[in-house]
Amino acid sequence: MTKTTTQTTRIAGKRVRIVTRVTATGTSVKVTDAAPKEWELQAAQVRALRAMPEYGKQFLLAGDQNSAKRGPRAQMEATAAGMTPGEADLRIYLAGGQLRMIENKVGKGRLSPAQIDRHAALARLGHPVEVVRADACAGAAVRAVELVRGWLAEASNKPLDKFVECT
């Protein structure tokens, strides 16, 4: 019979994952880097996006952390103030009144039922949410920059809806 336990902790300030396996022939312990937390992916994306030369000129961003753990009173206050379960992690405001959104998941992390419902509702209104899956902060940041660069290119190729005549 094999028994395996997994624990995430800090060793010398670094988050690590400890896997202990006990078998009839002995015990093995394996220590590996722990996956980043979702907020760490988001923070890396925000740093990378704010460093882009287009930031503040062609796009702005706003972050959310609706899934933060709150006590009953804080949860009631957040809900009353409009915090909505399932809202995307990052909103990207593009020139021309366009809104794009990014949801982050670490590795194979699943969307919550609230996220599935909210993302579907947003998509029905014409605001699809891109899900970025990453195992490292650098990968999440690179993917966010790629998405924004693509959105900016897409926006610059769209024809104007209204023409203004010069007199």
Side-chain angles (χ1 to χ4, degrees):
M1 183 171 152
T2 301
K3 181 178 179 183
T4 303
T5 59
T6 304
Q7 176 184 1
T8 302
T9 189
R10 288 193 179 275
I11 297 177
K14 185 175 181 181
R15 285 183 70 241
V16 295
R17 184 172 183 237
I18 303 169
V19 178
T20 306
R21 176 168 277 162
V22 180
T23 66
T25 59
T27 301
S28 67
V29 177
K30 183 177 179 184
V31 179
T32 58
D33 290 343
K37 293 185 177 183
E38 194 173 290
W39 75 265
E40 293 171 314
L41 298 179
Q42 183 174 333
Q45 290 171 328
V46 167
R47 285 190 301 275
L49 293 171
R50 286 183 176 158
M52 292 174 63
E54 299 90 347
Y55 182 74
K57 298 174 187 84
Q58 295 178 13
F59 77 96
L60 293 170
L61 64 82
D64 240 317
Q65 287 190 313
N66 282 327
S67 68
K69 304 294 182 220
R70 296 178 179 85
R73 181 181 175 93
Q75 182 64 40
M76 181 273 306
E77 291 170 355
T79 302
M83 195 152 297
T84 305
E87 191 67 20
D89 295 323
L90 283 176
R91 291 182 304 280
I92 309 296
Y93 301 98
L94 301 171
Q98 295 181 59
L99 171 65
R100 299 290 190 269
M101 291 171 277
I102 297 173
E103 175 65 40
N104 290 296
K105 289 296 167 192
V106 176
K108 295 180 183 178
R110 291 185 227 151
L111 294 172
S112 70
Q115 289 171 323
I116 292 168
D117 292 346
R118 182 67 174 181
H119 296 183
L122 288 164
R124 282 192 301 274
L125 294 175
H127 302 290
V129 179
E130 288 286 336
V131 178
V132 172
R133 296 184 182 283
D135 292 315
C137 293
V142 166
R143 184 65 185 128
V145 168
E146 289 172 349
L147 283 169
V148 171
R149 287 208 191 284
W151 294 331
L152 291 173
E154 185 181 290
S156 69
N157 290 330
K158 285 191 177 177
L160 296 174
D161 290 334
K162 297 179 183 178
F163 293 94
V164 177
E165 290 185 28
C166 296
T167 57

